[in-house]
Amino acid sequence: MTAATFESIAPATGETLGVFPRSGAAEVDRAVAAARAAYEDWRLVPAPERGNVLFRFAELLKAHKAELTDLMTREMGKVKAEAGGDVQEAIDMSYYMGGEGRRLFGQTTPSELRDKFMMSVRMPVGVVGAITPWNFPIAIPAWKLCPALVCGNTVVLKPAEDTPLLADRFVELLAEAGVPDGVVSVVQGFGEEAGDALVRHPDVPVITFTGSRETGIAVTKAAADRLKHVHLELGGKNAIVVMDDADLDLAVEGIVWSAFGTSGQRCTAASRVIVHEAVYAELQSKLVTAAERLRLGPGWEDETDVGPLINRAALEKVHAYTRIGLDEGATLLTGGEPLAGEPGFFYRPTVFADVEPGMRIAQEEIFGPTTALIPVGSFEDALAAANSVEYGLSSSIYTRDVNRAFRALRDLQTGITYVNAGTIGAEVHLPFGGVKATGNGHREAGQAALDVFTEWKSIYVDYSGRLQRAQIDTAAQRPPR
Ligand code: UN1
């Protein structure tokens, strides 16, 4: 066991919540060996029984929802309603994937030959390495582990080093739900040590990772030598388009929720607002009024609207982007500074106006409560600006024109598009993920998640009792003329 440790720090106060072992290659080896051994039995447990374990896990998450919610407000910092939503998302995913235990549908299809049967079935892949972020510290582990487990895989989880307490509770509840020893292990620690060892481990054929684009590329390269399956959920630079016919009050509510909810620390956060010039001035003033009304504070206090950022480095990064925006010539309408006199990592909700689509604050993921207003003269210009970024996770349009709405649904280059709602709030039973630099073609959640954690096997059964040659003997099957 390594002697090195790291601390979990409460972002609202800076106090230490716990001390954790800083795992490296040796701990990863041990966890993978346990997962590999446990796989031999877990893959043979009938899928409906594996599903029952997930139903029990959902019940336990429900029973512990208040405790987990409170812990999340302290360890991760998000406000109570959102922390409860994070836990709820895990509950929903666990029930949904529990139900998959009685589906996991494959296909049957007729053979071209007589007395021959064919079908495809999903097979588990083996040990899954799951690397999860701190921003949804209960929901995202559930997005990855629930489908992985119901499909018959075992898992080594490397959670973010900012939220180790929540990860430990997550895994304890899984064990209490009946997940056998070794089927799920957690290795606490840092990406460059524990994460890297997991990604490179020869006995881990699948890696599922949520985090930054840069780390996603590094993970892909490290996994390439062994041709691992890599599922990536990376950044976003999500835009809300507000057209001249939009309900502006509704749009402002959606912008505030999407830009400042979770202090902007969602990969689906609206960090750009593309506004038709006919409503630009009005929207700008309504948005500033709404942003300035938000109360910052610790997540566990009922009156708080916006909690702290996750750590000091995040605070410094967000503030650096404020300086970049000012240097680029954007107009700072509100915010743009840390909350004075606070021990925690609080940053005021920040709105930039007169932003050009090509500016860095309109192109790069900030992951904080900063949004950029971009004026445009037409629907076409709005779509072009929205699509001008390298990411493609979520997008939204506010309009009352059904034709424009459907064109936007077709032409916005993102994996998720909303009409008359903000960019956040995806539900667990539709695919979640993005195009372009947001990922590599896979999706989590919904049925699509099963594709990450299974391989297809095609099965042929010939019950004719004689040699039948596909593609050659088919003529003999035809009735004589
Ligand atoms: C994330 O930010 O990584 O759609 C996930 C949403 C949430 C999930 C966000 N259900 O905003």
Side-chain angles (χ1 to χ4, degrees):
M1 198 64 181
T2 168
T5 57
F6 69 99
E7 293 180 347
S8 169
I9 306 286
T13 59
E15 81 188 285
T16 300
L17 298 175
V19 180
F20 293 83
R22 184 167 167 167
S23 315
E27 289 76 16
V28 169
D29 270 348
R30 264 200 296 280
V32 173
R36 205 179 161 197
Y39 176 66
E40 287 315 318
D41 188 61
W42 183 246
R43 74 186 176 91
L44 301 178
V45 171
E49 254 185 65
R50 294 194 299 251
N52 287 341
V53 173
L54 293 184
F55 289 142
R56 283 198 294 277
F57 181 51
E59 295 293 324
L60 283 169
L61 286 170
K62 256 162 85 176
H64 292 271
K65 184 172 174 181
E67 169 218 322
L68 292 167
T69 298
D70 183 65
L71 179 59
M72 200 182 302
T73 63
R74 289 168 204 281
E75 190 179 45
M76 183 275 162
K78 64 175 78 173
V79 300
K80 223 188 275 181
E82 291 189 50
D86 189 316
V87 179
Q88 189 58 46
E89 203 159 328
I91 294 169
D92 296 341
M93 184 60 88
S94 203
Y95 277 127
Y96 178 77
M97 286 298 166
E100 270 308 323
R102 289 189 185 270
R103 289 187 295 270
L104 286 180
F105 293 140
Q107 302 109 31
T108 63
T109 186
S111 168
E112 62 192 40
L113 294 164
R114 288 180 190 229
D115 299 331
K116 189 179 171 194
F117 176 82
M118 49 202 266
M119 64 181 169
S120 64
V121 294
R122 290 187 183 274
M123 306 293 281
V125 191
V127 179
V128 171
I131 303 176
T132 55
W134 46 264
N135 68 334
F136 277 81
I138 295 291
I140 292 182
W143 290 11
K144 297 188 186 305
L145 270 66
C146 294
L149 292 173
V150 80
C151 291
N153 305 280
T154 56
V155 185
V156 176
L157 168 67
K158 205 303 274 176
E161 61 271 21
D162 288 293
T163 49
L165 269 171
L166 286 160
D168 272 356
R169 286 300 290 134
F170 182 89
V171 172
E172 281 163 17
L173 292 175
L174 268 176
E176 204 177 320
V179 171
D181 277 356
V183 169
V184 174
S185 325
V186 60
V187 284
Q188 298 284 7
F190 291 80
E192 311 82 67
E193 297 158 10
D196 187 64
L198 190 57
V199 169
R200 292 179 193 278
H201 201 291
D203 295 331
V204 180
V206 188
I207 298 292
T208 170
F209 168 78
T210 298
S212 73
R213 175 183 170 279
E214 292 65 33
T215 310
I217 291 170
V219 165
T220 306
K221 286 184 178 163
D225 282 343
R226 295 188 188 270
L227 298 171
K228 296 188 181 203
H229 301 195
V230 178
H231 159 257
L232 301 173
E233 181 52 52
L234 308 176
K237 193 68 193 176
N238 315 292
I240 293 179
V241 172
V242 183
M243 291 309 300
D244 46 353
D245 63 343
D247 176 337
L248 286 192
D249 292 317
L250 185 67
V252 167
E253 280 185 283
I255 296 163
V256 168
W257 173 226
S258 303
F260 307 129
T262 329
S263 309
Q265 301 172 112
R266 294 196 190 211
C267 48
T268 49
S271 51
R272 297 183 297 152
V273 183
I274 299 168
V275 192
H276 193 282
E277 56 198 15
V279 293
Y280 185 69
E282 193 183 347
L283 181 109
Q284 180 171 308
S285 80
K286 282 179 188 279
L287 179 60
V288 169
T289 307
E292 289 179 348
R293 223 182 274 135
L294 297 171
R295 281 156 308 187
L296 271 77
W300 57 85
E301 284 179 5
D302 285 330
E303 318 76 68
T304 302
D305 296 310
V306 177
L309 295 170
I310 188 67
N311 54 34
R312 181 159 308 283
L315 189 77
E316 281 164 10
K317 179 182 171 193
V318 170
H319 195 49
Y321 271 104
T322 294
R323 284 192 293 263
I324 289 169
L326 290 169
D327 287 349
E328 286 177 309
T331 310
L332 181 62
L333 294 180
T334 186
E337 57 187 7
L339 197 61
E342 284 291 330
F345 311 120
F346 294 95
Y347 203 80
R348 289 181 52 209
T350 300
V351 181
F352 273 106
D354 309 323
V355 177
E356 301 283 341
M359 288 180 180
R360 285 184 63 192
I361 56 165
Q363 289 286 328
E364 297 172 20
E365 188 174 47
I366 299 174
F367 225 63
T370 302
T371 200
L373 298 185
I374 302 171
V376 288
S378 69
F379 175 67
E380 288 70 28
D381 288 351
L383 292 196
N387 290 337
S388 73
V389 295
E390 65 178 336
Y391 295 111
L393 181 53
S394 186
S395 58
S396 131
I397 181 163
Y398 281 85
T399 180
R400 291 179 169 111
D401 179 337
V402 71
N403 296 351
R404 274 182 184 162
F406 270 86
R407 283 196 192 113
L409 287 170
R410 183 190 61 197
D411 294 338
L412 285 168
Q413 295 162 0
T414 52
I416 303 167
T417 298
Y418 293 86
V419 174
N420 292 331
T423 51
I424 68 175
E427 301 182 34
V428 301
H429 44 307
L430 274 187
F432 181 91
V435 301
K436 294 158 77 179
T438 293
N440 58 352
H442 293 291
R443 293 290 183 273
E444 6 199 27
Q447 290 261 305
L450 305 177
D451 296 333
V452 174
F453 301 109
T454 53
E455 292 267 24
W456 284 112
K457 175 166 243 177
S458 297
I459 293 175
Y460 300 92
V461 180
D462 189 317
Y463 55 99
S464 70
R466 58 200 163 83
L467 173 69
Q468 297 199 91
R469 297 170 303 171
Q471 293 100 36
I472 293 170
D473 291 341
T474 49
Q477 306 274 356
R478 290 186 205 122
R481 291 206 184 184

